[in-house]
């Protein structure tokens, strides 16, 4: 075993107590949410939760969801925690008359995108007041259960690093218990280069998510991984083909 591998093993042992605490709080947070002890807010406008670990490829998924909404004449407001926005090197500028959020200006294909600090509820309320034409919210999350209750939950991940192989923080990027994935409505895998075994990954997904979960695969442009090149979808899970229209129509019907 080389020195690097030894250091990794030692660090995992040292971080084990923090990993255990993350697992405990994931369970506790879910129970508090389910029993109503956790004070959370549900907006009248549909809210889409996009669950992921800390991965740069979540940005093209946010853009893809926003483009779907625009294509069907809906105006989604993407609200990203400022720390997550800075981690992904998104450009943020102050916005006139906005007190609780700033505008995300790059990449431009994110559409109406804002960065908030601390609490998304206040930012969402201000967004509703300032932009009445916006008719839904897209909220990226690392923790599925928090201050905002969602109408539709998306799980996004790359086929190279599936979510269920992520370790709990701080060893890995996962904050949510795998049992919580049975609340996921849509799973979006991303990939570039060689085409993965779609059926294999769908079957793996069904181990953690409920049987009615919708699974699709987003092929990213190998030259520009911010752009979705193709969407592969199967109506019955048997044969996946490039069929963006069918998937997007189903997604919109799930939300509205």
């Amino acid at each position: 075993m080389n020195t690097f591998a030894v250091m990794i093993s030692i660090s995992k042992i040292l971080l084990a107590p923090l990993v255990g605490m993350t697992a405990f709080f994931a369970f506790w947070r879910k129970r508090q949410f389910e029993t109503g002890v956790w004070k959370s807010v549900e907006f009248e406008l549909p809210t889409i939760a996009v669950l992921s670990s800390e991965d740069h490829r979540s940005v093209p998924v946010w853009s893809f969801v926003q483009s779907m909404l625009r294509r069907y004449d809906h105006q989604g407001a993407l609200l990203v925690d400022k720390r997550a926005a800075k981690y992904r090197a998104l450009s943020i500028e102050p916005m006139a008359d906005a007190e609780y959020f700033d505008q995300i200006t790059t990449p431009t294909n994110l559409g109406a995108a804002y960065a908030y600090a601390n609490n998304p509820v206040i930012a969402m309320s201000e967004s509703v007041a300032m932009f009445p034409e916006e008719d839904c919210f897209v909220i990226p999350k690392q923790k599925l259960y928090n201050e905002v209750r969602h109408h539709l939950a998306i799980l996004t991940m790359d086929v190279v690093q599936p979510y269920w192989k992520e370790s709990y923080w701080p060893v890995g990027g996962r904050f949510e218990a795998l049992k919580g994935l049975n609340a996921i409505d849509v799973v979006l895998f991303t990939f570039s280069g060689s085409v993965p075994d779609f059926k294999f990954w769908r079957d793996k997904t069904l181990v953690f998510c409920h049987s009615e979960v919708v699974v699709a695969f987003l092929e990213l442009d190998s030259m520009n991984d911010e752009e979705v090149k193709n969407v592969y979808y199967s109506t019955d899970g048997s044969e996946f083909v490039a069929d963006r229209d069918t998937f997007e129509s189903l997604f919109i019907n799930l939300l509205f």
Side-chain angles (χ1 to χ4, degrees):
M1 185 179 292
N2 59 41
T3 303
F4 179 74
V6 171
M7 292 178 63
I8 293 294
S9 298
I10 293 174
S11 66
K12 287 183 177 181
I13 294 172
L14 294 175
L15 293 171
L18 291 176
V19 171
M21 289 178 63
T22 303
F24 169 77
F25 281 115
F27 168 79
W28 176 84
R29 189 175 59 250
K30 183 174 182 293
R31 287 293 300 158
Q32 297 289 297
F33 181 87
E34 291 174 340
T35 58
V37 175
W38 186 288
K39 301 301 180 184
S40 56
V41 175
E42 181 176 357
F43 282 75
E44 290 186 6
L45 298 183
T47 302
I48 307 169
V50 185
L51 178 67
S52 67
S53 58
E54 286 287 359
D55 186 285
H56 71 285
R57 282 187 164 180
S58 55
V59 176
V61 175
W62 304 346
S63 174
F64 171 70
V65 172
Q66 286 284 72
S67 70
M68 274 196 295
L69 295 170
R70 291 194 297 270
R71 186 178 177 189
Y72 282 83
D73 298 321
H74 294 288
Q75 180 65 49
L78 174 69
L79 283 102
V80 185
D81 182 273
K82 275 190 178 180
R83 290 167 296 182
K86 290 178 180 178
Y87 175 82
R88 290 169 173 82
L90 304 181
S91 297
I92 303 173
E93 293 182 3
M95 195 169 187
D97 302 322
E99 185 176 354
Y100 297 104
F101 60 78
D102 297 322
Q103 186 172 22
I104 296 174
T105 56
T106 305
T108 56
N109 58 5
L110 288 178
Y114 315 113
Y116 67 89
N118 301 320
N119 194 318
V121 175
I122 300 175
M124 292 169 74
S125 299
E126 184 173 53
S127 173
V128 169
M130 292 183 63
F131 307 107
E133 69 277 9
E134 294 172 351
D135 60 359
C136 63
F137 293 108
V138 181
I139 311 291
K141 293 183 175 184
Q142 282 188 283
K143 303 169 185 176
L144 197 56
Y145 303 96
N146 59 15
E147 296 94 337
V148 179
R149 294 197 294 273
H150 51 264
H151 296 76
L152 190 70
I154 297 174
L155 172 65
T156 179
M157 57 188 147
D158 192 272
V159 293
V160 175
Q161 182 63 22
Y163 190 80
W164 46 81
K165 286 192 175 181
E166 279 277 4
S167 300
Y168 275 118
W169 181 90
V171 173
R174 180 162 63 91
F175 287 85
E176 192 60 72
L178 293 181
K179 287 185 177 180
L181 298 187
N182 58 16
I184 294 295
D185 303 294
V186 179
V187 173
L188 297 178
F189 284 97
T190 58
F191 73 95
S192 59
S194 59
V195 176
D197 185 336
F198 298 133
K199 189 175 185 306
F200 170 82
W201 287 110
R202 179 184 181 275
D203 291 344
K204 279 287 188 182
T205 301
L206 294 179
V207 174
F208 301 94
C209 301
H210 62 82
S211 60
E212 300 300 318
V213 68
V214 175
V215 181
F217 296 82
L218 309 184
E219 181 183 11
L220 305 183
D221 192 320
S222 57
M223 300 299 292
N224 176 18
D225 66 0
E226 295 297 317
E227 181 180 343
V228 174
K229 182 179 178 182
N230 285 308
V231 180
Y232 292 86
Y233 176 66
S234 172
T235 54
D236 59 5
S238 59
E239 183 179 0
F240 283 81
V241 296
D243 190 355
R244 184 168 186 157
D245 290 341
T246 300
F247 170 75
E248 291 190 352
S249 177
L250 173 63
F251 181 90
I252 294 297
N253 288 333
L254 286 174
L255 185 61
F256 294 97

